[in-house]
Amino acid sequence: MVQYNFKKITVVPNGKDFIDIILSRTQRQTPTVVHKGYAISRLRQFYMRKVKYTQQNYHEKLSAIIDEFPRLDDIHPFYGDLLHVLYNKDHYKLALGQINTARNLISKISKDYVRLLKYGDSLYRCKALKVAALGRMCTVIKRISPSLAYLEQIRQHMARLPSIDPNTRTILICGYPNVGKSSFINKITRADVDVQPYAFTTKSLFIGHTDYKYLRYQVIDTPGILDRPFEDRNIIEMCSITALAHLRAAVLFFLDISGSCGYSISQQAALFHSIKSLFMNKPLIIVCNKTDLQPLDGISEEERKLVMDMKAEAMKTLLGQGGEATNDEGVLLTMSTLTEEGVIAVKNAACERLLDQRVEVKMKSKKMNDCLNRFHVAVPKPRDQKERPPCIPAAVLEAKAKEAAEKKNRKTERDLENENGGAGVYSASLKKHYILANDEWKEDIMPEILDGHNVYDFFDPDIWQRLEELENEEGLRQAEEADNDFEIDGEELTPEQQEALTEIRKKKSLLIQQHRIKKSTAESRPMVPRKFDKDKQFTSERMGRQLSKMGLDPSLAMERARSRSISRKGRKRERSHDRRDADGDVMDMDVDTPNKKQRIRSLSRSRSLSRPPGEVVPGEGFKDSAQKIKAIKIAKKSVKKRNKDARRGEADRVIPNLKPKHLFSGKRSIGKTQRR
């Protein structure tokens, strides 16, 4: 079942917003920093990427607009004609065609400028080509701004259209203005259509839903129609004509027999005959409304004749559908929306006629023949003349009667509550449905704590047998422990042995504590802590003894260790030694170096110093620091004007200063008003 929901169409931005969206996205999603030191291939790729990305964004947005708006040739004819009536399909197609043309033009511009960028020979040339490409794309969008604005207005109006399903069960209400159509739809559905005592209150299609025989029906209220030539009808009337022409629905033609609507019965009959071609092959019911003001029996003979002629036309429509000529009681109905007399009868008659007509159409289709061939209804043939009426055994009847009596005499919880003090006093018993061997046990109080123990922890049918097994197992385990246990007691040892045992236990606890301390600091402790080796555990003599035990000659290793320690001490002493003069002041330790440059280099080895900007580095080509500082100043002065004039950078969108400060700030003096 196709649902047309035009509320999901995305918003169409206007031309200026469209350009801002695309260029901002290009600036955010592509690199914006480029240097003139880049290779020319890298510069070309940089600007080609910007042009391609902008074209892709334009293509996606414009394609979304073209795809989301419905194509009048592809949707249901009802919606196609309705959109043509409301918006003029020529203008609609022209606007979408301009969007499609703009999309193709932008793709062509991108293709051309990417081809030119492949041969760009400088940063300036590549940037100029990029600016030209983006500018031409934005110009194309500016030219279609009226089409974008038109499509946005159409989108807003389409979002307010009701969601009508052209293929479901539909009841269509039509007639002259102010005959009671909106009042009827408000009575049978939950729609809230405005009702006023003047013509053309309803200016568009309104939809409501009602239920009949567990099926959902949509009811459509159409604007009033006047009896005039087709070309003279306005947009409001054409909405009703479109619905009548394309929707397969049960039509209710409302007739105001009281004349309070401002139109006589003859005028309404003339309208009926002028549009009766739209009622062909549809269930039609003529509804005489406002019978509270004028009953049908009280109208004149001429008006009654006109109503009967309309009924005869409706009967012809029924015969054209294959209905019976005798079934004419549902063709002409009377009701009053003020007193609600006959409203439900009209609704039921319309739903029933529509249901019958849809069933007949389905039965005549080829698909139904294929389905009916698969069914077979078996009818038993009588084997004799004996009648066999349905028989229910007496036992079943007795059981059913007994169950009904019990159900009648059974007291509910509400009855028990009323008998025992009402709500807040009576508390329902949760134990009366317990399944126990004796019903008298249901209300027994079960203790939770017995002899200081929780009863539920000890509830077990075999608890005494299990307790006996556990006691036997515990006795056997204690006997085994008594035979195999070997414990050194103080009573069995002599005083010397007790002292030795005490020392052993102290030593053992001390080793355990040392191990725990080492284990806790194992991650942060160095492998060989020579600096904190207070006990002299890591010495060269100890290393020599260990190597000797292993059968190796330790002399070379010990000599190497001694030479390393001596050289380390010498370097340390040399680094920390300062020369002092007779007064005790520290003297320069590098006085004996040949020149100043070497002294500076030796100082730079000892600590890192930040070089001042005016310092001359060998190889730069400057005579001294003054010449270098002067060159830096000249370079800054040369790029100052360029930097001042080119603050735009590599951005894809330039927002100029629309309010310069010298024009919009300060106090205005005499004679300065005209320039603003």
Side-chain angles (χ1 to χ4, degrees):
M1 187 175 293
V2 181
Q3 293 288 341
Y4 296 95
N5 187 7
F6 301 129
K7 297 179 178 62
K8 294 182 179 180
I9 302 176
T10 55
V11 178
V12 181
N14 57 34
K16 185 176 180 302
D17 293 341
F18 209 120
I19 293 170
D20 288 345
I21 290 168
I22 299 301
L23 293 186
S24 296
R25 183 178 295 176
T26 304
Q27 186 173 347
R28 283 185 285 108
Q29 301 294 335
T30 56
T32 56
V33 179
V34 66
H35 302 290
K36 61 182 179 181
Y38 286 167
I40 188 63
S41 59
R42 186 173 180 182
L43 293 174
R44 291 169 184 162
Q45 290 295 330
F46 178 86
Y47 288 108
M48 286 164 59
R49 178 178 179 181
K50 284 185 172 292
V51 174
K52 288 180 181 177
Y53 189 82
T54 307
Q55 182 266 333
Q56 288 173 0
N57 282 332
Y58 274 127
H59 190 275
E60 290 174 3
K61 295 286 284 185
L62 296 174
S63 298
I65 294 173
I66 294 171
D67 294 339
E68 288 183 354
F69 276 90
R71 295 186 178 182
L72 301 183
D73 299 333
D74 297 342
I75 60 177
H76 195 274
F78 163 68
Y79 272 112
D81 281 1
L82 184 64
L83 295 182
H84 171 56
V85 166
L86 294 174
Y87 316 122
N88 192 344
K89 66 179 181 182
D90 295 334
H91 293 175
Y92 179 79
K93 289 184 176 180
L94 189 63
L96 288 178
Q98 288 181 352
I99 301 296
N100 188 29
T101 304
R103 182 179 63 176
N104 296 335
L105 282 175
I106 289 174
S107 300
K108 186 175 182 300
I109 290 169
S110 171
K111 188 176 180 181
D112 294 343
Y113 276 90
V114 166
R115 188 183 296 116
L116 291 174
L117 278 167
K118 288 181 181 179
Y119 302 100
D121 56 354
S122 65
L123 171 63
Y124 175 78
R125 186 68 56 86
C126 293
K127 184 174 180 178
L129 289 172
K130 186 266 296 185
V131 171
L134 268 59
R136 288 189 61 185
M137 292 179 190
C138 296
T139 303
V140 172
I141 296 299
K142 286 180 182 177
R143 288 179 178 174
I144 64 169
S145 293
S147 298
L148 294 173
Y150 172 74
L151 289 175
E152 173 59 16
Q153 290 181 355
I154 288 182
R155 184 200 67 82
Q156 293 177 3
H157 194 278
M158 289 173 67
R160 295 191 291 268
L161 289 178
S163 296
I164 298 174
D165 187 0
N167 301 315
T168 191
R169 296 167 293 272
T170 307
I171 298 174
L172 197 62
I173 308 171
C174 67
Y176 255 91
N178 201 21
V179 295
K181 302 186 296 296
S182 300
S183 301
F184 176 72
I185 192 175
N186 288 344
K187 294 292 182 183
I188 67 171
T189 68
R190 292 197 295 177
D192 187 15
V193 185
D194 188 22
V195 177
Q196 298 294 339
Y198 50 80
F200 286 109
T201 307
T202 304
K203 297 181 180 179
S204 61
L205 299 176
F206 286 90
I207 185 170
H209 293 85
T210 186
D211 291 332
Y212 178 73
K213 289 187 177 180
Y214 305 102
L215 294 175
R216 178 63 55 91
Y217 292 78
Q218 67 178 3
V219 186
I220 300 176
D221 179 22
T222 62
I225 309 173
L226 298 179
D227 183 21
R228 52 185 176 181
F230 187 81
E231 58 273 6
D232 294 340
R233 290 195 169 101
N234 56 21
I235 295 177
I236 297 176
E237 296 175 85
M238 288 304 299
C239 291
S240 301
I241 299 297
T242 303
L244 284 169
H246 293 290
L247 292 179
R248 295 171 53 193
V251 180
L252 300 181
F253 185 84
F254 270 55
L255 197 65
D256 184 4
I257 58 176
S258 68
S260 61
C261 64
Y263 305 97
S264 63
I265 295 180
S266 60
Q267 289 176 314
Q268 299 177 55
L271 172 67
F272 176 84
H273 291 293
S274 66
I275 63 172
K276 65 181 180 182
S277 59
L278 300 174
F279 303 148
M280 297 304 296
N281 300 324
K282 295 176 185 175
L284 175 62
I285 298 176
I286 301 171
V287 180
C288 298
N289 194 16
K290 302 184 182 180
T291 54
D292 57 318
L293 299 178
Q294 176 68 52
L296 182 62
D297 300 335
I299 61 176
S300 62
E301 290 296 332
E302 295 179 0
E303 293 175 344
R304 178 183 292 275
K305 186 174 182 302
L306 293 174
V307 173
M308 291 301 136
D309 291 342
M310 295 167 61
K311 181 180 179 181
E313 292 291 341
M315 289 298 298
K316 289 181 182 178
T317 306
L318 179 63
L319 291 173
Q321 298 172 22
E324 299 179 2
T326 57
N327 187 15
D328 60 347
E329 65 273 4
V331 177
L332 181 64
L333 298 175
T334 59
M335 74 167 191
S336 172
T337 54
L338 182 64
T339 61
E340 298 187 8
E341 180 183 355
V343 172
I344 300 302
V346 171
K347 169 199 156 184
N348 293 343
C351 295
E352 194 67 40
R353 290 280 302 278
L354 180 63
L355 202 59
D356 294 343
Q357 190 252 0
R358 289 172 67 91
V359 170
E360 289 176 4
V361 170
K362 289 182 179 178
M363 291 295 292
K364 293 177 181 178
S365 64
K366 297 181 180 179
K367 187 183 293 185
M368 186 56 63
N369 294 329
D370 297 337
C371 295
L372 289 176
N373 292 333
R374 304 176 188 175
F375 295 109
H376 173 67
V377 181
V379 179
K381 294 181 180 180
R383 61 189 178 189
D384 51 22
Q385 301 299 327
K386 186 177 179 180
E387 294 185 1
R388 292 179 175 83
C391 178
I392 302 176
V396 175
L397 293 175
E398 290 178 1
K400 192 173 182 180
K402 186 177 179 182
E403 183 181 354
E406 289 180 356
K407 189 175 182 180
K408 186 177 180 180
N409 298 328
R410 185 190 309 160
K411 287 187 177 182
T412 62
E413 288 293 333
R414 177 65 61 84
D415 298 334
L416 294 174
E417 180 182 339
N418 295 332
E419 291 176 2
N420 294 282
V425 178
Y426 171 75
S427 179
S429 176
L430 302 177
K431 299 180 180 179
K432 60 184 179 182
H433 297 298
Y434 283 2
I435 301 174
L436 301 176
N438 191 351
D439 291 340
E440 297 177 356
W441 296 348
K442 289 183 178 180
E443 300 298 331
D444 289 351
I445 298 175
M446 181 181 293
E448 294 184 5
I449 304 297
L450 184 65
D451 297 335
H453 300 288
N454 194 343
V455 174
Y456 289 97
D457 293 341
F458 297 94
F459 176 72
D460 195 340
D462 304 330
I463 188 169
W464 298 113
Q465 182 180 355
R466 296 189 181 186
L467 179 61
E468 187 177 356
E469 292 176 358
L470 287 173
E471 288 178 349
N472 295 335
E473 185 179 351
E474 185 178 3
L476 294 173
R477 190 176 298 166
Q478 288 178 355
E480 291 178 0
E481 290 178 356
D483 295 340
N484 300 329
D485 191 14
F486 178 75
E487 183 68 25
I488 298 178
D489 297 329
E491 299 175 355
E492 301 176 1
L493 300 176
T494 60
E496 292 81 5
Q497 292 176 340
Q498 288 181 358
E499 290 180 1
L501 180 61
T502 305
E503 291 294 330
I504 290 171
R505 286 177 175 172
K506 285 183 179 179
K507 184 69 173 176
K508 183 179 179 182
S509 63
L510 187 63
L511 290 174
I512 291 173
Q513 290 178 3
Q514 290 178 353
H515 174 71
R516 286 176 179 171
I517 292 172
K518 289 181 180 179
K519 189 176 181 181
S520 63
T521 61
E523 294 181 356
S524 61
R525 190 177 68 249
M527 296 301 294
V528 184
R530 297 180 181 274
K531 187 174 181 181
F532 303 101
D533 190 13
K534 304 298 183 184
D535 300 333
K536 302 295 182 182
Q537 295 182 1
F538 304 99
T539 60
S540 57
E541 288 80 6
R542 182 183 177 190
M543 181 182 67
R545 289 196 300 270
Q546 290 179 350
L547 290 174
S548 299
K549 287 181 181 179
M550 296 170 62
L552 300 174
D553 185 12
S555 57
L556 293 175
M558 292 175 65
E559 189 66 27
R560 185 180 179 187
R562 286 196 188 97
S563 63
R564 280 193 172 187
S565 62
I566 291 171
S567 62
R568 191 181 297 114
K569 288 178 182 178
R571 285 204 306 272
K572 193 172 183 182
R573 192 182 306 113
E574 182 182 352
R575 193 181 298 119
S576 62
H577 179 68
D578 294 333
R579 298 182 182 179
R580 297 179 181 271
D581 57 4
D583 298 332
D585 298 332
V586 179
M587 297 174 61
D588 189 3
M589 60 180 294
D590 293 323
V591 177
D592 53 345
T593 52
N595 53 23
K596 184 178 179 181
K597 185 181 292 186
Q598 291 184 1
R599 286 201 299 273
I600 292 173
R601 190 172 298 171
S602 63
L603 281 174
S604 65
R605 286 201 191 99
S606 61
R607 69 176 182 274
S608 176
L609 295 175
S610 59
R611 183 182 298 127
E615 182 181 340
V616 179
V617 178
E620 286 186 339
F622 296 109
K623 183 175 66 174
D624 52 7
S625 298
Q627 189 181 17
K628 183 176 181 180
I629 293 172
K630 187 177 181 180
I632 291 173
K633 286 183 178 180
I634 293 173
K636 286 183 178 179
K637 190 175 181 181
S638 65
V639 300
K640 187 175 182 181
K641 186 176 184 302
R642 188 186 66 185
N643 291 341
K644 189 175 180 180
D645 294 338
R647 292 291 184 187
R648 296 178 176 180
E650 302 300 327
D652 302 303
R653 182 176 57 161
V654 179
I655 302 175
N657 188 7
L658 300 178
K659 290 187 176 183
K661 189 173 182 181
H662 70 282
L663 290 179
F664 290 89
S665 65
K667 186 176 180 181
R668 294 189 293 178
S669 59
I670 299 174
K672 297 290 186 179
T673 308
Q674 62 181 359
R675 67 170 184 166
R676 299 198 189 183

